[in-house]
Amino acid sequence: MAGLMLAGSWTWQHAHNAGLLHEWVDEPLYRLVLHGTDPVWVIFLLSIPVAFVDPVWAMYGWILIWPLSVVQGKWRMRQFVRAMGDGTGGQ
């Protein structure tokens, strides 16, 4: 699951860099979507070395995905609103 999210982020980034996104996808929206799944794949990747020590603790670490996603989502949305509110669309 985390691998799919990471691959989705890479695909989104490639589409942006190659100019394949619709013109209404401005820089703040691009960044909001790009980093939307970061907590999931970061926690999952960090849990891999923990799993070699104790697989149960690695699974308990996955519980961190939910609160980190909430905090990161609020922070990203605040950045998005701030970038859109300055009238430049973040450009």
Side-chain angles (χ1 to χ4, degrees), residues 24-82:
W24 56 261
V25 178
D26 56 1
E27 201 60 32
L29 180 59
Y30 161 72
R31 284 192 309 267
L32 180 70
V33 174
L34 178 65
H35 298 292
T37 60
D38 285 354
V40 176
W41 63 264
V42 168
I43 294 296
F44 184 77
L45 289 177
L46 290 175
S47 73
I48 293 172
V50 175
F52 285 111
V53 177
D54 189 351
V56 174
W57 279 105
M59 289 190 307
Y60 286 142
W62 298 343
I63 295 170
L64 295 173
I65 291 172
W66 179 77
L68 287 177
S69 293
V70 170
V71 169
Q72 190 253 9
K74 289 181 180 184
W75 179 63
R76 281 277 171 207
M77 187 56 75
R78 196 173 304 126
Q79 284 183 326
F80 175 74
V81 170
R82 190 176 312 124

